[in-house]
């Protein structure tokens, strides 16, 4: 079987930055085993598989090298980038995903891709898990959680860059991942994301995480439009707008690779 594969750097306008995702548009679903094997072979944060339902509606599934993921923002952006590039008349697409429902994505005139995601604002934890305390070199005191991750808020931007993370301890928190975040001098907030139980060491740029981080900071900063930076080695920028039930995230993408795989 010959399948076309695209590799897109998401949440950046510069090759080798942002977060890479592989995109495969298929006519019929492959087996779960085969999709997972392809994701392992690609060895990127995610490989997205999209199956067309009608003119501008697609089912979408995301696989890390470890497991299928419930919700992935950067691979959604990458998939939309591919669809918009291949059909210049297409300006909006709807993705259907089992865990998060309907996701509307639009191509804007300035090159940004606009994604409307659910608002997944985190809530304060009653008790900070010991694994989180043991897994971070700077003691976590301000901790929230949603269905995806723990959010550890630090008082200083420098903490986000300087922290040391024990991934074996963080992995024990699975299926939940860990976000560390702080206010920023240059941006509204910065974050880093660690997901050893579900994907790897540190995710370069995580769109889905910002459906929790953006509402958190919108409340604390008393503003609904925010510029976020994910402070990984590759780095990535996200424009976020927080509404009652939705978080709109804007980002750009760059194509790195286009070719075929044989499976």
């Amino acid at each position: 079987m010959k399948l076309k594969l695209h590799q897109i750097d998401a949440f950046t306008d510069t090759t080798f930055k942002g977060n890479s995702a592989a995109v495969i548009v298929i006519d019929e679903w492959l087996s779960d085993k085969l999709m997972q094997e392809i994701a392992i072979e690609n060895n990127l944060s995610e490989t997205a598989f999209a199956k067309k339902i009608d003119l501008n509606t697609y089912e979408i599934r995301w696989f890390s090298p470890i497991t299928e993921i419930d919700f992935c923002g950067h691979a959604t952006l990458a998939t939309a980038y591919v669809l918009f590039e291949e059909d210049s008349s297409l300006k909006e697409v709807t993705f259907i995903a089992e865990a998060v429902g309907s996701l509307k994505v639009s191509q804007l005139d300035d090159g940004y891709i606009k994604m409307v995601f659910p608002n997944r604002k985190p809530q304060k934890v009653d008790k900070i898990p010991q694994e989180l305390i043991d897994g971070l070199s700077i003691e976590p005191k301000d901790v929230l959680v949603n269905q995806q991750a723990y959010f550890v808020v630090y008082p200083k931007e420098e903490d986000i860059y300087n922290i040391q993370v024990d991934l074996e301890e963080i992995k024990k928190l699975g299926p939940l991942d860990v976000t560390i975040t702080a206010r920023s001098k240059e941006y509204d907030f910065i974050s880093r994301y660690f997901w050893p139980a579900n994907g790897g060491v540190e995710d370069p740029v995580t769109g889905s995480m910002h459906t929790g981080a953006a509402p958190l900071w919108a409340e604390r900063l008393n503003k609904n439009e925010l510029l976020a930076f994910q402070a990984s080695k590759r780095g990535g920028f996200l424009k976020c707008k927080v509404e009652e039930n939705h978080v709109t995230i804007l980002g750009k993408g760059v194509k790195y690779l286009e070719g075929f795989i044989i499976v």
Side-chain angles (χ1 to χ4, degrees), residues 25 50-53 56-60 83 93-96:
V25 181
K51 176 180 175 292
K52 192 171 187 178
I53 299 174
N56 62 348
T57 305
Y58 289 77
E59 291 182 272
I60 190 167
L83 296 175
V93 63
T94 299
F95 293 110
I96 306 296

Side-chain angles (χ1 to χ4, degrees), residues 65-78:
I66 294 176
T67 187
E68 184 170 6
I69 302 298
D70 286 344
F71 179 27
C72 177
H74 88 277
T76 301
L77 188 155

Side-chain angles (χ1 to χ4, degrees), residues 26 87 126 148 164 176 225 229 256:
I26 52 180
D87 182 356
D126 295 327
Q148 180 175 351
Q164 301 296 311
L176 295 178
E225 295 189 17
F229 178 65
Y256 171 71

